[in-house]
Amino acid sequence: MLVFGLAALVAGLVVGQFELVGVGVFLLSVPPLSALTVLGAGSRVVQSRLVRPPHVQAGQSARVLLRVGNSSSVWPVPSVSLADAVPVRLGEEPRFDVGHLSARAVRDVGYLVQPQVRGRYPIGPLRVVIGDPLGCVRVSRDVDAPASLLVTPRALPLSPVEVRGGPQGEHTPLRSSAGIGEQDPVPREYQHGDELRRVHWRSTAKHGELMVRRDEQHQREHSVLLVDTRTGAHRGEQAESSLETAVTTAASVAVRCLQDGHDLDLYGADGPLPVSGASGILDGLAVAEASDAPHLMPAISALGSGRGPSPGLVTAVLGAISPEEADALARTGHEARKVAVLCTGAAWSSGEALHGAERVLTASGWHVLLLSHPDRLPQLWRAAGEGLLTAAAPRVFTEGPL
């Protein structure tokens, strides 16, 4: 308009056509007048954002709810459009045409995101674009700070695994002898419903009232889990990478162990990882970065020199490992029941390297699962659990049809 208005004004003056001059003046005046309609409009637009839920597992959907409004009780906002910034992994930038916002008006919009890869994703900032009714002037403004969406690895449902010959978890446990013998009883007062065979007569005579032995105390089972998070040990991109397969497997096994009431030690390629309940493990693995460690020997050494009670179950989730690493891993675990998950899509130099690691581990008492995709894990884990239950000789479990 400015260009054509200036051209019409000059041409009208040159040829003496005052009607053309009038057209030029009109065209030159429209953009400044339009700019007045959006003056200060950006500061009148307010917004709020809600990500629901703020934590999801990979593959699940989260809804982002946006509310925009005009804070002025007098002045409208002519034309509003929105664009919310999201990472490339979450898809294209969502855009909305809100239109005219009268005084104190409010509009709600929303969209879904379905992340396929774990991580912490920023949602936002929200870009508000305000235009005048004629489309001559446009004002763009970012109006908020990004929100956060935490995407945890999937925790696939796994069957319980027999560890020491009884049912899993708190219903099996090794029982401690402290406080239940005749020489060192830990009695309590008799309560209605207690069995008479639990009455401790020596303490009853001493205290002058019925005393019974306390319930036998349970000793929690102990499990150890190693996940290979080295960049160089894996291959593939995003959700299809073998690293994501390994992390999903580790998350599933860790949650299964905690559900069974086990104490759990978790190790990554760079050493111990924090364990604070199932949700804490998933949150930690969600933001765990790939390691630049050249080999897995320090983690294997930490695995074999763990303090505390000897583990009943040792699980190693591995990318491509060297023969030396396979030999070192073969010497760990001692009397524990041991399961190694080898990611077949990892950066193995050849098929023979994969089978060589498989042979070394099975020869030293490891049950080996060859896993190409996380969805195959429940099937393989169930088969391995049956092998552990029957105390069968170590063997290799390969994938069958889903």
Side-chain angles (χ1 to χ4, degrees):
M1 280 192 171
L2 291 174
V3 170
F4 283 105
L6 182 61
L9 178 63
V10 172
L13 292 174
V14 169
V15 300
Q17 293 290 331
F18 293 103
E19 294 84 354
L20 191 58
V21 172
V23 171
V25 171
F26 173 76
L27 293 176
L28 287 173
S29 63
V30 167
L33 293 175
S34 296
L36 292 177
T37 65
V38 299
L39 185 65
S43 61
R44 297 197 296 271
V45 176
V46 294
Q47 67 82 39
S48 63
R49 179 198 307 277
L50 179 63
V51 181
R52 183 184 298 169
H55 295 63
V56 296
Q57 289 190 6
Q60 294 180 345
S61 298
R63 178 172 289 277
V64 181
L65 303 173
L66 297 170
R67 172 168 290 181
V68 293
N70 182 2
S71 62
S72 174
S73 58
V74 177
W75 301 103
V77 179
S79 177
V80 178
S81 60
L82 308 174
D84 208 13
V86 296
V88 174
R89 287 183 176 181
L90 297 186
E92 296 182 356
E93 184 178 75
R95 298 174 179 272
F96 304 95
D97 186 8
V98 176
H100 180 81
L101 279 179
S102 58
R104 295 296 183 184
V106 174
R107 298 284 189 277
D108 291 325
V109 296
Y111 60 93
L112 289 176
V113 292
Q114 190 174 29
Q116 300 299 319
V117 182
R118 65 189 173 89
R120 189 182 298 277
Y121 295 91
I123 307 294
L126 180 68
R127 185 179 306 107
V128 176
V129 180
I130 302 169
D132 70 289
L134 297 178
C136 295
V137 180
R138 217 167 34 206
V139 177
S140 178
R141 177 170 175 251
D142 291 340
V143 297
D144 73 335
S148 178
L149 173 64
L150 183 66
V151 182
T152 63
R154 290 190 295 160
L156 301 171
L158 303 181
S159 56
V161 172
E162 187 75 24
V163 176
R164 294 190 188 271
Q168 281 287 332
E170 295 185 355
H171 299 289
T172 357
L174 303 174
R175 298 185 181 272
S176 68
S177 59
I180 62 172
E182 288 292 333
Q183 301 300 321
D184 185 24
V186 183
R188 60 171 174 80
E189 294 181 2
Y190 175 85
Q191 296 177 357
H192 180 70
D194 286 336
E195 298 179 8
L196 290 179
R197 63 186 178 86
R198 294 174 53 199
V199 172
H200 193 270
W201 298 107
R202 184 178 302 175
S203 298
T204 297
K206 179 179 178 181
H207 292 279
E209 56 183 337
L210 278 177
M211 305 292 290
V212 296
R213 294 185 180 91
R214 292 184 184 273
D215 291 330
E216 295 176 332
Q217 297 179 359
H218 296 293
Q219 177 182 338
R220 291 167 64 89
E221 194 59 80
H222 182 214
S223 295
V224 176
L225 173 61
L226 169 66
V227 53
D228 186 355
T229 54
R230 296 172 299 153
T231 303
H234 293 280
R235 183 182 290 133
E237 297 292 334
Q238 298 191 22
E240 301 303 319
S241 71
S242 62
L243 175 59
E244 295 307 312
T245 297
V247 172
T248 299
T249 300
S252 304
V253 174
V255 170
R256 177 72 262 175
C257 289
L258 294 178
Q259 288 174 343
D260 289 339
H262 294 194
D263 289 326
L264 179 67
D265 290 336
L266 178 61
Y267 295 89
D270 295 321
L273 298 175
V275 176
S276 56
S279 61
I281 286 180
L282 293 178
D283 290 353
L285 290 175
V287 296
E289 296 183 356
S291 170
D292 293 327
H295 48 73
L296 203 57
M297 298 303 288
I300 295 174
S301 299
L303 186 70
S305 60
R307 299 177 180 178
S310 61
L313 176 66
V314 176
T315 307
V317 185
L318 304 168
I321 58 175
S322 66
E324 294 76 18
E325 291 165 341
D327 290 335
L329 194 59
R331 295 190 293 271
T332 64
H334 306 296
E335 300 301 321
R337 299 192 175 183
K338 298 172 288 188
V339 179
V341 182
L342 301 183
C343 298
T344 58
W348 299 97
S349 58
S350 64
E352 180 55 34
L354 170 61
H355 295 304
E358 162 198 314
R359 288 192 295 269
V360 169
L361 292 174
T362 53
S364 58
W366 289 76
H367 290 274
V368 176
L369 282 58
L370 300 182
L371 181 67
S372 64
H373 192 276
D375 290 343
R376 305 279 185 164
L377 178 63
Q379 167 191 316
L380 292 176
W381 188 261
R382 182 171 57 254
E386 293 171 356
L388 292 175
L389 179 62
T390 59
R395 53 171 291 202
V396 178
F397 297 91
T398 57
E399 297 171 348
L402 283 174

